[in-house]
Amino acid sequence: MLNDTGKVVGFVPTVQPGKARSFYEGVLKLPLISVDSFASVFNANGTMLRVTKVAEFKPHPFTILGWAVADVNTTVLDLQAQGVRFEKYAGMNQDERGIWTSPNGAKVAWFKDPDGNVLGITQYP
């Protein structure tokens, strides 16, 4: 059904559309597709990502959007050079850069967008 004809579209809420657009376009380097009064739309490597304006919301404490990357260390360094701060969580055995190695060997790091949405990058084994 949806697997045959549908394409996934990602949605991220924002109460700060200008800051969100600057972050996703300028910091994360996602190509901007369009902007209207409802959302800034980006191309996330072939997946449409709609950063959607909302009147209010409370960010969730878990990852709402993530990327699989070839090299988590290089990606962390690249994002840190853009001013991104990586999160460190109590009880997680993360290294000095905030990278956690999961039991299956995946390497994961988390950061937040201007609205406090938790985003992640993962290097799978």
Side-chain angles (χ1 to χ4, degrees), residues 46-123:
T47 298
M48 181 188 296
L49 175 62
R50 294 183 55 87
V51 181
T52 305
K53 183 179 172 183
V54 297
E56 60 182 64
F57 84 104
K58 181 179 177 184
H60 294 290
F62 49 81
T63 308
I64 67 158
L65 181 65
W67 288 265
V69 298
D71 184 338
V72 75
N73 291 302
T74 299
T75 305
V76 165
L77 292 173
D78 289 347
L79 289 170
Q80 285 177 327
Q82 294 292 320
V84 172
R85 185 179 68 81
F86 284 82
E87 300 295 310
K88 292 194 178 172
Y89 296 103
M92 304 281 297
N93 188 19
Q94 295 168 273
D95 70 14
E96 67 280 352
R97 292 175 312 270
I99 300 170
W100 173 65
T101 301
S102 75
N104 76 351
K107 296 184 180 302
V108 185
W110 297 273
F111 58 100
K112 293 181 179 176
D113 74 2
D115 289 280
N117 292 304
V118 179
L119 312 177
I121 54 173
T122 305
Q123 176 184 331

Side-chain angles (χ1 to χ4, degrees), residues 34-41 50 53:
S34 67
V35 178
D36 60 33
S37 60
F38 299 104
S40 293
V41 182
R50 294 183 55 87
K53 183 179 172 183

